[in-house]
Amino acid sequence: MEHESFFSPGHRMCAGCVAPVVVRQVALAVGDRSVVVANATGCLEVASTIFPYTAWRCGYIHNAFENAAATLSGVETAYRSLRKQGKINREVKFIAFGGDGGTYDIGLQSLSGAMERGHDMLYICYDNGAYMNTGIQRSSATPLFADTTTSPAGRESPGKRQWRKDLTAIMAAHNIPYAAQASPSHFMDLMAKVQKALSVDGPSFINTMAPCPRGWRYDTREGIELTRLSVETCYWPLYEVDHGKWKLSYKPREKKPIETWIRKQGRFRHLFTDEGQQEIERLQQRVDQEWTKLLERCGEAG
């Protein structure tokens, strides 16, 4: 790529973290377009903006955990006003980044409001499945039976007891022009989705898998492999909802068992006992149910 990426190397994200890989892929898809980025408080923000340095080569706003979408709503509104007044002549795109804590939970009302009002922005959630920056507490994106500091696995508990919130479907239910689920393992698909999201007139949303080596407890070399397995097991299927039409982006030739994904993660280590086999089977059943539901929505069943 000849253009300069809006996200530079030299940040201080953890070794093996996939969040900066996601941002780099998004930046490549954005290309030479002018962007303003709003970043919710979280790992990505903390480790990429340590004063007096920054990894961001674009207009950049750091705001609180819960209101990246609300902040960018105001900026986008001001931009439209200034364009009408003839004070800005160039096109600018607006992108918000938030982790699952700042998106699924704390920031949901802010995000929902921005989508409902129709602000012309792209919101990207890098989903690492917990509040990793503040101590690996469970979030509503945390997988069933994962061990976190607030859903600890032990004699009395198998880990988190709830299935993860289906945030991508919730965003699609806002009837926004474009919503999608992506993974950095399938980077061409992710980049194509970013370009499509930026081309629509109005709000768009992309939810992408972004493993965390501290919270997931995996070999730092295997971050991208884990994103690939999340897709191949259909725990994290790739799809898009383009103006209300659901479309599957990728269908594994051979659907792998969920065990191949969770076995590589320390947060599921407690399941690999005689007693834990029942939980693995329950997890597989839920993955199968969700996959079947998605195939039906996309017209791929049967």
Side-chain angles (χ1 to χ4, degrees), residues 147-174:
D147 177 30
T148 74
T149 53
T150 50
S151 60
R155 186 177 300 172
E156 302 297 329
S157 171
K160 191 195 175 198
R161 296 175 183 273
Q162 299 82 24
W163 186 255
R164 70 179 177 88
K165 185 187 292 180
D166 191 350
L167 183 62
T168 310
I170 292 171
M171 288 300 104
H174 283 68

Side-chain angles (χ1 to χ4, degrees), residues 64-127:
F65 217 149
E66 72 282 6
N67 57 0
T71 299
L72 210 53
S73 296
V75 176
E76 188 266 345
T77 301
Y79 163 75
R80 282 191 283 111
S81 174
L82 291 171
R83 286 209 76 169
K84 277 185 181 177
Q85 298 172 48
K87 295 180 179 178
I88 294 179
N89 296 318
R90 62 176 174 162
E91 184 182 31
V92 179
K93 294 295 181 182
F94 298 90
I95 303 175
F97 287 99
D100 53 285
T103 307
Y104 282 67
D105 296 336
I106 299 173
L108 183 61
Q109 50 81 25
S110 164
L111 174 60
S112 177
M115 298 292 107
E116 186 271 334
R117 291 189 300 271
H119 291 283
D120 191 8
M121 69 165 74
L122 166 59
Y123 191 105
I124 298 174
C125 175
Y126 62 100
D127 185 341

Side-chain angles (χ1 to χ4, degrees), residues 51 72 108 115 207 212 222 232 245 260:
F51 183 81
L72 210 53
L108 183 61
M115 298 292 107
N207 201 3
C212 166
E222 296 192 327
E232 297 291 341
K245 185 175 181 181
T260 59

Side-chain angles (χ1 to χ4, degrees), residues 55-283:
W56 301 89
R57 295 170 171 151
C58 62
Y60 179 84
I61 307 166
H62 162 227
N63 53 248
F65 217 149
E66 72 282 6
N67 57 0
T71 299
L72 210 53
S73 296
V75 176
E76 188 266 345
T77 301
Y79 163 75
R80 282 191 283 111
S81 174
L82 291 171
R83 286 209 76 169
K84 277 185 181 177
Q85 298 172 48
K87 295 180 179 178
I88 294 179
N89 296 318
R90 62 176 174 162
E91 184 182 31
V92 179
K93 294 295 181 182
F94 298 90
I95 303 175
F97 287 99
D100 53 285
T103 307
Y104 282 67
D105 296 336
I106 299 173
L108 183 61
Q109 50 81 25
S110 164
L111 174 60
S112 177
M115 298 292 107
E116 186 271 334
R117 291 189 300 271
H119 291 283
D120 191 8
M121 69 165 74
L122 166 59
Y123 191 105
I124 298 174
C125 175
Y126 62 100
D127 185 341
N128 52 35
Y131 290 80
M132 298 304 184
N133 186 49
T134 55
I136 316 175
Q137 299 94 345
R138 55 99 66 199
S139 78
S140 57
T142 302
L144 183 67
F145 301 136
D147 177 30
T148 74
T149 53
T150 50
S151 60
R155 186 177 300 172
E156 302 297 329
S157 171
K160 191 195 175 198
R161 296 175 183 273
Q162 299 82 24
W163 186 255
R164 70 179 177 88
K165 185 187 292 180
D166 191 350
L167 183 62
T168 310
I170 292 171
M171 288 300 104
H174 283 68
N175 295 314
I176 58 178
Y178 188 77
Q181 200 155 279
S183 168
S185 58
H186 296 64
F187 60 92
M188 294 299 289
D189 174 71
L190 188 152
M191 291 171 64
K193 285 172 175 168
V194 170
Q195 291 173 346
K196 191 178 287 188
L198 291 174
S199 71
V200 302
D201 182 17
S204 53
F205 174 82
I206 294 177
N207 201 3
T208 176
M209 178 66 77
C212 166
R214 290 187 66 244
W216 292 30
R217 284 171 268 155
Y218 61 80
D219 187 322
T220 54
R221 296 170 298 181
E222 296 192 327
I224 294 297
E225 177 61 14
L226 280 169
T227 64
R228 189 183 313 282
L229 286 174
S230 73
V231 175
E232 297 291 341
T233 58
C234 298
Y235 175 80
W236 191 262
L238 306 182
Y239 65 94
E240 62 184 2
V241 186
D242 190 351
H243 293 84
K245 185 175 181 181
W246 290 66
K247 182 182 177 185
L248 200 65
S249 308
Y250 174 76
K251 191 172 186 179
R253 185 172 299 174
E254 181 181 354
K255 182 166 170 280
K256 295 183 184 298
I258 193 64
E259 186 176 331
T260 59
W261 182 58
I262 64 174
R263 184 176 285 280
K264 291 176 175 287
Q265 304 174 47
R267 60 180 176 163
F268 294 108
R269 187 174 297 141
H270 58 286
L271 297 181
F272 291 93
T273 61
D274 291 341
E275 295 77 21
Q277 190 58 40
Q278 187 177 352
E279 272 74 27
I280 293 176
E281 291 173 5
R282 285 176 57 196
L283 184 54

Side-chain angles (χ1 to χ4, degrees), residues 16-50:
C17 173
V18 179
V21 179
V22 168
V23 180
R24 290 281 289 175
Q25 292 179 2
V26 171
L28 288 172
V30 169
D32 293 327
R33 285 176 278 202
S34 297
V35 296
V36 172
V37 168
N39 200 173
T41 296
C43 298
L44 178 62
E45 172 270 321
V46 169
S48 64
T49 61
I50 298 175

